[in-house]
Amino acid sequence: MSNTISQRLADLREVMRREHLAAFIFPSTDPHQGEYIPDHWKGREFISGFNGSAGTAVVTLHSAALWTDSRYFIAAEEQLKGTEFQLMKLKIEGTPTIAQWISSQCSMFNIQSTEVGVDGWCSSVNAVKELATELRREGGLTLRTNLDPLQLIWRDRPAIPLNPVEVFPMKYAGESAHDKIARIRQALRERHADGMLMSALDDIAWTLNLRGTDVHCNPVFVAYLLISTKDVTLYINKVKLTPEVTGYLEAEGVRVDDYERVAQGLKDYFEYNILLDPDEVNYTLYKAVDREKVEEESPVKRMKTVKNATEIAGFRSAMLKDGIAMVKFLKWLDETYEAHRARQTDKPYETEISIDRKLTALRAEQPLYRDISFDTIAGYGHHAAIVHYEATPETDIPLEPHGLLLLDSGAQYLDGTTDITRTIALGPLTEEEKRIYTLVLKGHIQIELCKFPSGSSGTQIDILARKDMWREGLNYLHGTGHGVGTYLNVHEGPHQFRMEWKPAPLVAGMTITDEPGIYLPGRCGARTENTLLIVPYKETEFGKFLQFEPLTLCPIDKRPIVTEMLLKEEADWLNAYHQTVYERLAPHLDEGERQWLRQATAPIAEA
């Protein structure tokens, strides 16, 4: 791979010299600012070899660097070996910003050019404005946005997907596209906007009650949606539309135009002004608009996070199916490793990849299963310390009958999306493994127990997951929770639990995950995750209060728990949760599975 990366960098630098560029920046995004993107736009991975979902690669005429967050530090170090790329660890003291690093490289190598390039199609309005400002401040550099060098150097570049779109039935959506568009127009009027360009693929899919397969694990399709006071236009490659979908869109009053004509559509836009979300719309399309721009967050982001009654029922159904599959899997894994520990079998140990295949197969047996919701993270032993570890044939290791297995996985069912993490004891554990597992569980339960005023921010609640860890001098740098879509993206915002300030309010009807973790590099890691629904708690003279209801139905491994570390309220919560898990799942299991689940959910002694 390093030889390939070297050649790609050489080809890129030839283009840069011809265009008089000091540096070129490759973000992780596509023209729709997606977290997970079609292969066509994976330019950062192409140029650097790093395939994590978050990161930015920067190449100058003499050097290269990649910025990513703590989820990928270990993986990035491995993937960048043998290349020119230097790893820059975000949020770590001493790490320069992209602009600071480019400026220092220009000075170090006496680079005369003052222009830095980034593809305006794949960079949001805010990202370009912020980067341009910092480049000017740090080194007197200017930003150019009208060049995509990948068109010149990526010879076997994958095409933009042409997969067919399908209608998402009303019995799962719970609200028609016509009614959603009416609500969007009302929200636009409240913002004094005549229309808006919708760019986020999950927002478009939600609005139109359509789904697709253009993005791995995310049931979305590549398109834009332009809404005005009278018209709605979907910009999409028309080969993706079946006769059924075409007829459906006509009935919903949605016009169709070619995907490549969206810039022309913005030039032809006739209203007085238009709302453009500066974090969602790319800079090239922003520049194509010659009307007054209302630069505000898209109202659709928050609309789709609050689930209607039909969507909530769908989540419950999906979680039930997922819980059945998880119990079948955990019973199989338990019995497999019990036999290994008792030396009653000479079968080879399972591996990280083989258990992923087993779990996926069990999920696929469930009604309405469509796909996994993200690539499974199955990390055994020291691999569990890699936050977003994904086993490959080169890294796959056998699971031995001792230590911890961290298993983070999820599925796409037609009625809902799931996301669950369980850390599982495969046999004897060290005291260190037990202690970090219990600290993580305490943090998880404290979030679940929280009662809070409606409209609170997830940042205000995040501390509950970390407070016991902090007393031990431990922490994790990823977020504690994120929203989950309705048969949509497994990551949905803007609300979340996170140390950094995120002002998005938490309101009843939202889904959000609860997933604290501790990771000890080279040794072990633990994470416990449920998907939660925000529901009413009580109303007092101080207003409405909310609480969390766990949607996930799956036992939490009791074997690693240091019981004396749990507060009574934490032990009580775990026992009550396990009782619910048993009552909900048992009727759908055979006798052997029920017996296993009865033991897995038996109460623990109070602390």
Side-chain angles (χ1 to χ4, degrees):
M1 174 62 80
S2 60
N3 289 337
T4 303
I5 298 300
S6 296
Q7 184 58 55
R8 291 171 184 174
L9 289 173
D11 293 344
L12 171 65
R13 285 171 175 145
E14 183 178 336
V15 175
M16 290 168 59
R17 290 186 186 94
R18 189 164 65 242
E19 298 291 334
H20 306 290
L21 293 174
F24 203 90
I25 299 170
F26 297 89
S28 297
T29 52
D30 61 7
H32 305 273
Q33 307 310 306
E35 178 184 10
Y36 300 101
I37 63 176
D39 291 345
H40 177 80
W41 286 293
K42 291 182 178 178
R44 186 220 60 216
E45 180 178 342
F46 169 82
I47 203 67
S48 70
F50 170 64
N51 65 3
S53 66
T56 303
V58 182
V59 179
T60 74
L61 293 173
H62 304 283
S63 51
L66 181 129
W67 282 254
T68 193
D69 61 49
S70 63
R71 295 172 297 168
Y72 296 110
F73 288 168
I74 298 175
E77 282 179 352
E78 187 64 31
Q79 292 179 11
L80 297 179
K81 278 182 182 176
T83 75
E84 287 185 42
F85 280 91
Q86 176 185 359
L87 177 60
M88 299 292 184
K89 298 181 177 181
L90 289 170
K91 300 181 185 176
I92 299 298
E93 188 174 353
T95 299
T97 66
I98 288 172
Q100 288 170 342
W101 183 80
I102 292 174
S103 178
S104 70
Q105 296 299 298
C106 288
S107 298
M108 183 183 303
F109 293 102
N110 194 29
I111 297 173
Q112 298 302 307
S113 173
T114 59
E115 276 197 331
V116 173
V118 69
D119 182 3
W121 280 103
C122 292
S123 301
S124 72
V125 176
N126 276 347
V128 168
K129 288 182 176 180
E130 291 167 9
L131 182 58
T133 298
E134 191 175 4
L135 285 168
R136 282 195 301 271
R137 183 175 65 243
E138 294 295 337
L141 301 168
T142 59
L143 189 63
R144 177 179 169 185
T145 61
N146 65 347
L147 176 67
D148 176 14
L150 297 175
Q151 291 181 341
L152 303 172
I153 67 173
W154 196 348
R155 294 173 182 84
D156 56 350
R157 186 174 188 176
I160 298 174
L162 298 177
N163 302 323
V165 174
E166 64 181 6
V167 177
F168 185 53
M170 266 291 289
K171 66 178 179 178
Y172 303 125
E175 183 182 12
S176 70
H178 181 272
D179 289 344
K180 289 178 180 178
I181 291 167
R183 281 208 289 143
I184 292 167
R185 283 181 169 138
Q186 176 58 36
L188 292 174
R189 286 192 289 272
E190 292 168 1
R191 291 160 175 77
H192 305 289
D194 297 322
M196 69 172 291
L197 175 67
M198 202 180 301
S199 180
L201 301 186
D202 56 334
D203 286 5
I204 297 169
W206 177 85
T207 299
L208 297 180
N209 288 340
L210 296 174
R211 297 294 188 269
T213 57
D214 284 352
V215 179
H216 179 54
C217 297
N218 297 288
V220 297
F221 52 93
V222 175
Y224 294 97
L225 191 67
L226 182 60
I227 298 177
S228 66
T229 55
K230 293 184 173 61
D231 296 320
V232 180
T233 304
L234 177 66
Y235 291 92
I236 189 171
N237 190 317
K238 295 175 185 177
V239 304
K240 300 163 67 67
L241 304 181
T242 64
E244 178 195 3
V245 173
T246 299
Y248 165 80
L249 289 171
E250 289 175 357
E252 292 291 333
V254 179
R255 296 176 56 250
V256 176
D257 204 345
D258 292 329
Y259 178 73
E260 293 78 9
R261 282 180 46 80
V262 63
Q264 186 60 47
L266 289 170
K267 289 183 172 69
D268 296 340
Y269 177 80
F270 60 88
E271 306 275 13
Y272 174 71
N273 64 21
I274 184 170
L275 186 144
L276 301 172
D277 186 330
D279 287 319
E280 176 183 312
V281 174
N282 68 61
Y283 189 73
T284 297
L285 289 180
Y286 172 85
K287 294 295 287 183
V289 174
D290 61 4
R291 302 285 175 172
E292 180 178 309
K293 302 178 181 75
V294 179
E295 296 185 38
E296 291 190 22
E297 179 185 271
S298 164
V300 181
K301 285 181 181 177
R302 300 189 187 217
M303 283 183 183
K304 78 174 187 301
T305 62
V306 180
K307 315 307 180 191
N308 60 45
T310 301
E311 292 172 314
I312 291 171
F315 265 103
R316 296 193 198 283
S317 173
M319 296 292 176
L320 178 68
K321 293 189 285 281
D322 213 54
I324 294 168
M326 284 294 300
V327 166
K328 290 177 182 289
F329 170 80
L330 291 172
K331 176 179 180 290
W332 166 81
L333 187 67
D334 238 14
E335 292 172 348
T336 298
Y337 277 82
E338 185 178 339
H340 278 303
R341 291 191 297 272
R343 301 182 185 275
Q344 294 174 346
T345 179
D346 56 0
K347 289 182 179 179
Y349 294 140
E350 298 295 327
T351 72
E352 295 164 329
I353 289 178
S354 74
I355 63 163
D356 176 14
R357 289 174 180 155
K358 176 71 173 180
L359 178 53
T360 299
L362 289 169
R363 281 185 164 125
E365 294 175 358
Q366 294 299 311
L368 305 183
Y369 173 84
R370 304 302 294 270
D371 197 358
I372 56 174
S373 57
F374 56 96
D375 288 317
T376 299
I377 299 167
Y380 171 66
H382 66 282
H383 281 170
I386 305 173
V387 180
H388 269 210
Y389 171 76
E390 183 184 340
T392 66
E394 293 74 32
T395 66
D396 189 28
I397 58 175
L399 313 184
E400 300 178 12
H402 59 84
L404 293 174
L405 165 68
L406 190 157
L407 185 62
D408 188 350
S409 64
Q412 296 285 8
Y413 301 95
L414 195 55
D415 50 359
T417 301
T418 69
D419 186 0
I420 174 177
T421 307
R422 291 294 184 263
T423 304
I424 305 153
L426 297 180
L429 303 175
T430 67
E431 292 305 309
E432 180 178 61
E433 288 170 331
K434 293 176 183 177
R435 188 163 190 81
I436 68 162
Y437 180 94
T438 308
L439 284 169
V440 168
L441 179 60
K442 286 171 67 68
H444 175 91
I445 294 174
Q446 285 298 321
I447 292 283
E448 296 249 14
L449 288 170
C450 183
K451 312 295 189 285
F452 57 97
S454 179
S456 299
S457 164
T459 306
Q460 296 167 305
I461 295 172
D462 181 85
I463 176 61
L464 295 174
R466 301 177 191 265
K467 61 185 180 65
D468 290 299
M469 300 178 190
W470 285 358
R471 291 186 182 123
E472 302 281 340
L474 298 167
N475 198 16
Y476 55 97
L477 298 182
H478 61 73
T480 303
H482 56 81
V484 180
T486 302
Y487 183 43
L488 264 179
N489 295 4
V490 73
H491 289 167
E492 184 174 87
H495 66 293
Q496 53 192 291
F497 299 134
R498 184 168 289 277
M499 284 195 298
E500 299 83 5
W501 173 241
K502 294 289 182 181
L506 301 177
V507 300
M510 286 179 167
T511 54
I512 191 166
T513 64
D514 172 12
E515 49 182 312
I518 295 176
Y519 315 95
L520 305 178
R523 284 132 69 197
C524 59
R527 183 162 68 247
T528 298
E529 175 188 19
N530 280 350
T531 299
L532 315 178
L533 176 68
I534 302 177
V535 297
Y537 171 53
K538 65 168 64 173
E539 187 168 357
T540 73
E541 61 190 299
F542 296 99
K544 294 180 180 179
F545 285 74
L546 305 175
Q547 62 184 341
F548 299 112
E549 174 194 333
L551 292 171
T552 302
L553 297 169
C554 180
I556 295 169
D557 198 343
K558 298 176 296 181
R559 293 166 295 190
I561 299 174
V562 182
T563 309
E564 56 267 27
M565 289 175 60
L566 295 185
L567 301 175
K568 182 180 184 301
E569 67 174 5
E570 293 166 349
D572 288 346
W573 179 89
L574 184 61
N575 289 338
Y577 173 69
H578 275 158
Q579 181 178 349
T580 299
V581 169
Y582 183 81
E583 291 173 351
R584 293 286 306 280
L585 295 182
H588 306 278
L589 303 172
D590 65 30
E591 183 55 35
E593 292 159 352
R594 280 195 295 273
Q595 288 181 7
W596 180 90
L597 182 60
R598 188 178 295 114
Q599 183 175 351
T601 58
I604 62 169
E606 292 184 354

